[in-house]
Amino acid sequence: MVAKAKKDDKLTLEQLLKKYGYVLALGSDEMFQYEKIAFGIPALDKLLGGGIPRKRISIFTGQSNGGKSYLASQVAKMVQKQDGISAWIDSEISWDAKWMEKCGLDVDKILVSQPSSGEEAFDMIRSLMNDGVDLIVLDSLAGLTPAVLQDNDFGYNPMAWQARFVNQSLPRIMPCLKNNTAVI
């Protein structure tokens, strides 16, 4: 048992690890080493240290038609090459199987969902993460609409509704990241 520190005494690193070892680890611990999924684009993989990390959420931002979905499709293609499972949550109802085939995806080996609400999208993401899916692409945050907004008149527009919805929903999937899923 670790002796209780006096008011002016500091515990050593070893004492702190012994005391809180069930919730603390050294930053170099193996639990913090994350596998990466490559894009298959050498310059981009080099720039990002090997690709996007598992157990993390990676956000691709940019203008409309700027190539975000294409980049996500390349990561999904690499997951397929490693016999992994990818899922595409199409909140914008824009999935185009022919275009995805041109991007190199095997559309017969990717799960696709077109949820009817933002809540349904996040429930699907959490379920897929718990089931061990390797990669989940949410295309896109801009397409997520909470059910409460869908049920109101067109003039109904609460302040910052989408930001509040996403900020309330993301913490619900964060614990599932431990299942080794990468989310884009």
Side-chain angles (χ1 to χ4, degrees), residues 54-166:
R54 290 179 178 263
K55 299 183 180 183
R56 292 285 182 262
I57 298 173
S58 300
I59 300 176
F60 297 176
T61 63
Q63 65 187 14
S64 183
N65 294 320
K68 300 177 297 291
S69 296
Y70 173 75
L71 287 176
S73 75
Q74 296 309 288
V75 178
K77 179 175 82 172
M78 295 304 286
V79 168
Q80 287 181 340
K81 283 185 177 182
Q82 299 167 0
D83 292 325
I85 299 173
S86 296
W88 198 281
I89 309 300
D90 178 25
S91 68
E92 294 185 337
I93 315 300
S94 61
W95 175 261
D96 182 346
K98 288 181 182 178
W99 183 76
M100 288 296 179
E101 282 183 322
K102 288 179 182 179
C103 293
L105 272 177
D106 183 344
V107 295
D108 291 325
K109 293 184 179 176
I110 187 167
L111 303 169
V112 179
S113 173
Q114 294 182 324
S116 59
S117 69
E119 292 88 350
E120 188 178 313
F122 278 108
D123 285 343
M124 176 65 67
I125 290 168
R126 187 170 48 197
S127 294
L128 290 169
M129 291 171 82
N130 286 331
D131 288 337
V133 169
D134 297 288
L135 172 71
I136 300 172
V137 177
L138 171 58
D139 190 12
S140 75
L141 286 175
L144 295 175
T145 306
V148 69
L149 245 61
Q150 294 174 354
D151 297 337
N152 282 299
D153 294 332
F154 282 104
Y156 179 71
N157 189 16
M159 179 91 89
W161 62 267
Q162 191 170 39
R164 274 191 271 121
F165 173 71
V166 171

Side-chain angles (χ1 to χ4, degrees), residues 2-12 15-16 19-20:
V2 177
K4 193 171 184 179
K6 296 177 188 171
K7 188 175 183 179
D8 295 330
D9 290 342
K10 288 186 178 180
L11 294 176
T12 66
Q15 290 171 322
L16 287 169
K19 183 176 182 181
Y20 297 107

